[in-house]
Amino acid sequence: MTRHSLRRDRAAALIRGAGLDAAAFVPGPSFHYLTGLDFPLMERPTLLFVTADGGLLAIMPELERLKWSSAFPDAKTFYWQDSDGFEHAFEAAMRALGAAALGVEGGRMRMFEYDALRRHAGNGEVRNADAALQPLRIAKDEDEIASLSRAIEISQLALGETLDEVRAGDTERAIAALLKARMLAHGSDGFGFEPIVLAGAKAANPHGTPDDAPLRPGDALLIDFGAKIDGFSADITRTFFCEHVDDRHAEIYETVRAANALGRRMAGPGVTAHDLDTAVTDVLRASPFADMIVHKTGHGLGLDVHEAPQVMVGNRQRLEPGFVITIEPGLYGAGDVGVRIEDDVTITEDGARSLTSFPRELRLIG
């Protein structure tokens, strides 16, 4: 059996376990995970159905016929033309499924696809199956971790080369462009997300957008980025200071570094996401900068840059071998400074291993 057919068998087991007859997937990480194919998520509905017995059906725009049929020539597929619309394809697919209970990815499927499924479900039920399907991709195998490791290696090489060139006066946008060029030069397939490069007080906005703001002496420079390999993206953040750093900012930095270090030491099988978040955040909370806490400790990492498990208060899920999570404590003072240190960590049988190794000690650049 192929890797993707084994994955579909696992999906079928989850579908059965949830009391569903089938599950529907729109283009995105799970669609790719189950088929190895990527389709655009656009105005043309494109759906993959996996049944409880492992069967495969699809709704496909006619212009995707060659791509789909070359990979899955025997799959029962309902094609539709732009000129005819997609309603008949949904009607035929739902009739063929005969599903009394159909699960969907509630966090990804759009309303117009959901509405079309409901219109043709008859007396059947269409419901959110995110919780039931969560285990499908949450534990990574050796090949997936190897892809993540390669993406991280490329990211770290690119960051090191970028920092060697950064000087006071460079703009956030120029630094981001240089970082992207370095990642591509080292073999990245692309980027998990547009790099976040923020200087000075702008670093206090955790997900700010780079612009033409210049880096000035004494500024923090926060860089959050990740190269992509085989669909898997690194997600790394480091914060630096240009030429010099004042004592207060250095203390903020060391507080974040201590929280990050604790998180990497504590992570391991059996530890709950709740307890890990609480312990890491307590380091920040016990500092003079408790009012600068604005987010949780981390999240799962894989084909989605943010996926299960969420490392946050209230999530009692226990970490298991194969999980990959970020540990990214941060402190943010509006109008002043932002510091975040983010590592990608895989849970092992007897602890955890940081896939990221880029130095965490306070570094002056420029």
Side-chain angles (χ1 to χ4, degrees):
M1 298 181 74
T2 68
R3 172 193 287 188
H4 295 104
S5 62
L6 288 170
R7 290 172 174 175
R8 292 193 295 275
D9 284 347
R10 293 211 316 273
L14 294 173
I15 290 165
R16 291 193 300 273
L20 297 167
D21 299 301
F25 303 87
V26 296
S30 292
F31 195 119
H32 172 88
Y33 187 79
L34 294 167
T35 66
L37 299 179
D38 291 304
F39 292 93
L41 187 63
M42 52 193 305
E43 79 279 5
R44 296 184 177 96
T46 304
L47 278 81
L48 170 74
F49 299 89
V50 177
T51 65
D53 61 4
L56 195 65
L57 292 84
I59 293 174
M60 284 283 154
E62 180 63 34
L63 83 169
E64 303 289 7
R65 180 187 288 267
L66 182 59
K67 180 178 179 179
W68 175 253
S69 63
S70 296
F72 294 96
D74 300 323
K76 185 176 292 186
T77 305
F78 303 91
Y79 295 99
W80 62 274
Q81 278 275 12
D82 286 348
S83 56
D84 299 327
F86 53 77
E87 290 294 337
H88 69 92
F90 275 80
E91 180 183 9
M94 294 300 282
R95 186 168 57 247
L97 281 168
L102 175 68
V104 302
E105 291 184 288
R108 187 169 299 274
M109 180 170 284
R110 300 167 298 182
M111 278 300 298
F112 89 99
E113 293 144 337
Y114 173 82
D115 285 345
L117 291 172
R118 284 292 309 124
R119 279 196 298 276
H120 300 290
N123 294 324
E125 177 188 13
V126 181
R127 69 173 189 250
N128 183 1
D130 271 349
L133 295 170
Q134 184 188 93
L136 181 62
R137 295 191 285 114
I138 197 168
K140 279 64 180 175
D141 62 27
E142 290 183 1
D143 289 339
E144 291 170 311
I145 290 176
S147 294
L148 271 168
S149 297
R150 177 60 180 151
I152 289 166
E153 177 187 12
I154 288 171
S155 301
Q156 294 183 147
L157 286 170
L159 179 58
E161 292 177 355
T162 299
L163 294 176
D164 287 343
E165 296 190 34
V166 171
R167 298 291 182 271
D170 292 344
T171 67
E172 296 169 342
R173 203 189 310 272
I175 296 168
L178 176 59
L179 181 62
K180 291 167 70 173
R182 294 298 187 188
M183 285 190 280
L184 292 173
H186 282 293
S188 176
D189 296 339
F191 318 108
F193 52 96
E194 281 296 309
I196 299 169
V197 178
L198 303 170
K202 286 187 63 185
N205 180 358
H207 285 170
T209 302
D211 59 22
D212 290 324
L215 178 66
R216 296 184 173 89
D219 276 355
L221 179 65
L222 186 150
I223 301 178
D224 184 348
F225 73 112
K228 181 184 285 189
I229 291 289
D230 301 329
F232 291 88
S233 173
D235 188 7
I236 304 169
T237 307
R238 291 291 186 267
T239 307
F240 312 95
F241 288 88
C242 181
E243 296 185 1
H244 61 83
V245 57
D246 68 35
D247 290 345
R248 182 172 179 276
H249 289 174
E251 186 179 359
I252 291 170
Y253 185 92
E254 293 303 334
T255 301
V256 173
R257 186 160 76 103
N260 171 279
L262 175 67
R264 286 183 288 109
R265 289 195 305 270
M266 180 177 174
V271 176
T272 69
H274 169 94
D275 287 344
L276 182 57
D277 177 75
T278 299
V280 171
T281 305
D282 278 351
V283 175
L284 306 179
R285 195 174 290 120
S287 76
F289 315 110
D291 61 339
M292 296 169 65
I293 301 169
V294 301
H295 61 69
K296 64 192 177 191
T297 292
H299 54 82
L301 180 66
L303 291 172
D304 268 319
V305 177
H306 282 234
E307 60 182 42
Q310 303 304 321
V311 184
M312 63 183 295
V313 168
N315 183 6
R316 305 289 177 173
Q317 183 172 17
R318 296 187 181 277
L319 304 180
E320 298 179 19
F323 286 19
V324 178
I325 61 171
T326 67
I327 296 176
E328 51 177 302
L331 291 170
Y332 311 89
D336 180 21
V337 72
V339 173
R340 181 165 67 251
I341 302 173
E342 177 180 20
D343 286 294
D344 305 335
V345 173
T346 183
I347 306 303
T348 64
E349 294 291 341
D350 57 1
R353 176 168 59 94
S354 180
L355 301 175
T356 40
S357 59
F358 200 90
R360 303 169 188 90
E361 292 77 18
L362 193 154
R363 175 174 171 179
L364 302 180
I365 58 173

